[in-house]
Amino acid sequence: MDLWTIAINLLLLITFPFVVFPLQGHPKRQEINIDRSGLLTFKQGIVVDPQNTLANWNMTIHVCQWNGVTCSSKGERVIGLDLKRKYLQGTISPFLSNLSSLTQLELSENSFQGPIPTELGGLVSLEELGLRENRIQQEVPESFGLLAQLRFIDLSKNQLQGRIPSSLFYNCTELVYIDLSDNFFIGFIPSKIGNRLPYLETLRLYLNQLNGIIPVSLSNSSQMTELDLGYNFLIGGLPSEVLKKMPLLEILYLSGNYLESDDSNTNLNPFFTSISNLSHLRELELAGNKLGGELPATFGMLHANLSELHLEDNLIHGAIPPNIANLSNITLLNLSSNLLNGSIPSELGLLPKLERLYLSNNSLSNEIPYLFGDLSHVGLLDLSRNKLSGPIPASLANLTQLRVLTLFENFLSGIIPSTLGGCVNLQILDLSHNRLTGAVPAEVASLGDMGMYLNLSNNFLSGELPKELSKMDKVQAIELSLNNFSGKIPPNLDNCGAVELINLSHNSLQGPIPESLGNLRNLQSLDLSHNLLSVSKIVDQEFQVLKQIQHLNLMRIKTACMQPPGLQGSGFYHS
């Protein structure tokens, strides 16, 4: 036995005097018995085992045949324990540390609670530790710094708190994967975190309460492929110098912090320049940092492998650079909730793989580019809350994959193009709060697969409601209020069997309210107020059916025949 082994054994004996650590020379049978004893003690801490996973953990069956247990090739020692997603409830026994040859401990996706036993630091052979998605509390033991062979550690989605132990980063130099996300860790990220982790590829610390700056020492982890520090309280500048030295980086998530761009939060150019040579970068998230400055020309010089880019909820101003078309593999682009202005560059229509485009809540103006009709893969197009004007391009009819089209709160004018009926996969169509005129095209009203909502409210639309609305048998909400519609309510609207909300208020609709509306069994809200409608044939029975709904507004309509029960002259009925 060398001096290093002796030193480790002495340290373990001093730190954990009540735990048995088999030393070299013990009989193999005694060692497997010690492993079995440790596992049986662990079993005693399990209070719920819904799948009877541990039913065969008993003295009549050899430990190497127990569920979840892996032994060495000759059955001399237990080297693996994998009980992932067995829905076990209980506590983690400190006597697991008796399994001194254990290389894998996987207890993720159960309901273990209480602290992590300090004694687990005695598993000096451990290479993989998974405790993800439990209810484990308190702090991570400093003794984890003794796990010198550890390569993989996942403690995410627990209730851990306190500071991240520095020893984990300083002494566990073999680490490749670290996930401590979705906990309650506080304090700084250890300043020397990257100095002794040359093999680190994945670091996830998101959804904690960490503060301070992003340590420069991370630049020493040059093998990094994923860095996720999102949704903490980190401050300081964007880590341009750190990222320059991570040539293999594929995923960078820094959203939801308080980071700044250069020159007092006015210059994004140094950052985008620093990452322009990251040829493996696929996903970049910087949302919700209140970053200032304009999108520089280098923004369009990011490597073509980039597929997802999140810059929403910042303070980025100026125009969108046309060379954004160079991002030929981009599938998701989110620039919403910024201060962008000017025209939407038509070059965006040249992005061949774009699937989701978010430009909402900016100050973009002028017309929607006609070239958007070439975005053959786009499934979501959100241009809402801007200052866009002009017509809705008829070319959007080419977007056969489009599921969500939201153009509300702009200054769009002209008619709703009938060609939108070619968007056969639409689930959501929201053109509300614009200046659209004319009738609702029958082709749009007959999009039978629309499963979410149709919102054309707050426009200048006119004419009769198309009878084709009855073909929307899957739609959940129909919002046509605050227009100039006239004529009668189509009597066959009861074919819209899935609808939960109908709002036809503030129009010039006439005639009786169709009795058939009482057949809409899923209807929760009906607003027909401020029209020229009359209650003529709806009798007690129909209104009894309508009492299933939570909101009924018939204010300011004629009551030509009888006062419906519950209205009592107010025009408002609430059950």
Side-chain angles (χ1 to χ4, degrees):
M1 186 181 300
D2 58 28
L3 292 176
W4 175 250
T5 303
I6 294 172
I8 288 292
N9 282 323
L10 287 174
L11 178 60
L12 294 173
L13 288 170
I14 293 171
T15 308
F16 318 121
F18 70 90
V19 180
V20 178
F21 294 99
L23 301 177
Q24 188 172 358
H26 280 216
K28 302 301 181 183
R29 181 176 300 175
Q30 180 179 350
E31 290 178 336
I32 196 67
N33 288 341
I34 292 173
D35 291 347
R36 180 176 59 190
S37 176
L39 290 172
L40 289 175
T41 306
F42 166 78
K43 180 181 178 180
Q44 291 175 4
I46 304 300
V47 296
V48 176
D49 179 9
Q51 298 179 348
N52 292 319
T53 302
L54 309 185
N56 69 343
W57 284 31
N58 56 60
M59 298 296 290
T60 63
I61 300 175
H62 193 275
V63 62
C64 294
Q65 297 177 341
W66 291 358
N67 291 332
V69 174
T70 301
C71 290
S72 57
S73 58
K74 297 182 179 180
E76 300 168 341
R77 299 301 307 270
V78 173
I79 60 172
L81 178 60
D82 186 351
L83 298 174
K84 182 178 181 180
R85 204 180 294 122
K86 302 301 182 184
Y87 309 104
L88 303 172
Q89 295 182 29
T91 57
I92 300 174
S93 169
F95 283 90
L96 279 180
S97 57
N98 284 345
L99 283 68
S100 57
S101 293
L102 201 66
T103 61
Q104 181 203 34
L105 177 58
E106 178 55 86
L107 303 177
S108 295
E109 300 180 43
N110 287 288
S111 294
F112 289 104
Q113 57 188 357
I116 299 174
T118 301
E119 291 78 13
L120 293 190
L123 296 172
V124 294
S125 298
L126 198 64
E127 298 177 5
E128 299 180 21
L129 175 60
L131 300 178
R132 175 181 182 272
E133 204 169 331
N134 281 282
R135 292 182 289 176
I136 300 171
Q137 302 162 328
Q138 300 185 27
E139 299 185 1
V140 177
E142 284 285 349
S143 63
F144 273 19
L146 297 171
L147 303 176
Q149 304 302 314
L150 197 63
R151 300 179 67 253
F152 176 102
I153 180 170
D154 189 349
L155 308 180
S156 63
K157 294 189 176 182
N158 279 287
Q159 300 168 25
L160 295 165
Q161 51 193 290
R163 296 180 181 272
I164 298 173
S166 299
S167 60
L168 181 65
F169 301 116
Y170 297 165
N171 300 332
C172 303
T173 58
E174 300 295 318
L175 277 167
V176 174
Y177 184 102
I178 301 172
D179 191 347
L180 307 180
S181 61
D182 203 355
N183 281 288
F184 300 100
F185 291 115
I186 60 172
F188 298 163
I189 300 174
S191 61
K192 298 180 180 179
I193 182 173
N195 286 351
R196 293 175 57 81
L197 298 177
Y199 309 115
L200 188 62
E201 296 178 4
T202 298
L203 177 61
R204 296 176 178 172
L205 302 178
Y206 68 89
L207 271 177
N208 280 289
Q209 299 172 18
L210 301 170
N211 52 36
I213 64 171
I214 298 174
V216 177
S217 66
L218 274 176
S219 61
N220 295 316
S221 297
S222 59
Q223 302 299 305
M224 191 85 73
T225 60
E226 179 178 348
L227 177 61
D228 190 347
L229 307 178
Y231 300 98
N232 282 285
F233 298 99
L234 301 175
I235 60 174
L238 291 169
S240 302
E241 296 303 314
V242 172
L243 299 174
K244 282 181 181 179
K245 299 179 181 179
M246 294 183 176
L248 304 179
L249 196 64
E250 298 178 11
I251 297 174
L252 176 61
Y253 296 155
L254 300 176
S255 295
N257 284 290
Y258 296 94
L259 302 175
E260 296 183 350
S261 55
D262 285 64
D263 302 328
S264 301
N265 203 32
T266 63
N267 187 2
L268 287 165
N269 187 58
F271 174 76
F272 283 110
T273 299
S274 70
I275 65 173
S276 60
N277 291 324
L278 300 182
S279 60
H280 298 276
L281 190 63
R282 294 184 289 107
E283 299 180 19
L284 173 61
E285 291 193 7
L286 300 174
N289 277 289
K290 305 303 179 186
L291 295 171
E294 297 185 4
L295 292 175
T298 49
F299 174 70
M301 297 178 185
L302 299 177
H303 201 275
N305 281 334
L306 191 66
S307 63
E308 295 192 11
L309 177 57
H310 287 265
L311 293 175
E312 67 268 23
D313 196 16
N314 281 296
L315 300 173
I316 302 171
H317 61 273
I320 301 173
N323 67 351
I324 193 172
N326 295 334
L327 304 178
S328 56
N329 283 297
I330 200 85
T331 60
L332 184 153
L333 176 61
N334 195 335
L335 302 177
S336 62
S337 299
N338 278 287
L339 304 173
L340 297 169
N341 54 36
S343 300
I344 299 176
S346 59
E347 287 82 358
L348 281 174
L350 302 177
L351 295 172
K353 297 183 180 180
L354 191 63
E355 297 175 359
R356 287 171 285 175
L357 176 61
Y358 302 86
L359 298 179
S360 63
N361 203 24
N362 281 287
S363 295
L364 299 167
S365 57
N366 297 321
E367 296 187 357
I368 299 172
Y370 194 84
L371 275 177
F372 274 16
D374 292 338
L375 296 172
S376 58
H377 294 285
V378 76
L380 182 148
L381 182 58
D382 185 0
L383 310 181
S384 60
R385 294 195 174 103
N386 278 289
K387 299 178 180 179
L388 300 170
S389 58
I392 298 172
S395 62
L396 297 186
N398 300 328
L399 307 182
T400 56
Q401 302 301 313
L402 193 62
R403 296 181 179 275
V404 178
L405 177 59
T406 49
L407 306 179
F408 61 88
E409 292 187 32
N410 280 288
F411 302 112
L412 298 172
S413 59
I415 64 171
I416 299 174
S418 60
T419 54
L420 284 182
C423 301
V424 293
N425 287 302
L426 267 180
Q427 297 289 305
I428 294 174
L429 176 61
D430 194 339
L431 309 180
S432 63
H433 295 269
N434 279 288
R435 300 174 178 177
L436 300 171
T437 57
V440 178
E443 294 85 350
V444 173
S446 59
L447 286 168
D449 286 332
M450 188 174 292
M452 296 298 290
Y453 65 82
L454 170 69
N455 192 346
L456 306 179
S457 64
N458 283 268
N459 279 288
F460 301 105
L461 299 170
S462 58
E464 296 188 357
L465 297 179
K467 61 181 183 301
E468 287 81 6
L469 283 173
S470 63
K471 296 182 179 180
M472 290 189 172
D473 56 348
K474 300 175 184 176
V475 73
Q476 297 177 29
I478 299 175
E479 250 283 8
L480 302 178
S481 62
L482 287 156
N483 280 288
N484 297 319
F485 292 119
S486 58
K488 297 181 179 181
I489 298 175
N492 52 359
L493 271 184
D494 60 329
N495 291 335
C496 302
V499 72
E500 298 175 5
L501 179 149
I502 296 177
N503 189 352
L504 306 180
S505 65
H506 293 87
N507 281 288
S508 299
L509 299 171
Q510 302 171 354
I513 299 174
E515 297 179 34
S516 57
L517 292 181
N519 298 326
L520 293 172
R521 303 295 181 178
N522 292 304
L523 192 63
Q524 298 179 20
S525 178
L526 175 63
D527 192 342
L528 304 179
S529 64
H530 298 273
N531 278 288
L532 303 175
L533 298 166
S534 59
V535 181
S536 58
K537 291 188 177 181
I538 294 188
V539 292
D540 285 334
Q541 182 179 357
E542 281 74 16
F543 267 88
Q544 289 297 325
V545 174
L546 284 176
K547 283 184 179 180
Q548 67 183 307
I549 71 176
Q550 300 174 14
H551 175 79
L552 174 64
N553 190 351
L554 303 180
M555 185 175 291
R556 296 191 181 179
I557 66 170
K558 297 178 181 179
T559 54
C561 180
M562 62 174 290
Q563 185 77 359
L567 290 179
Q568 300 177 348
S570 68
F572 178 76
Y573 170 75
H574 182 79
S575 62

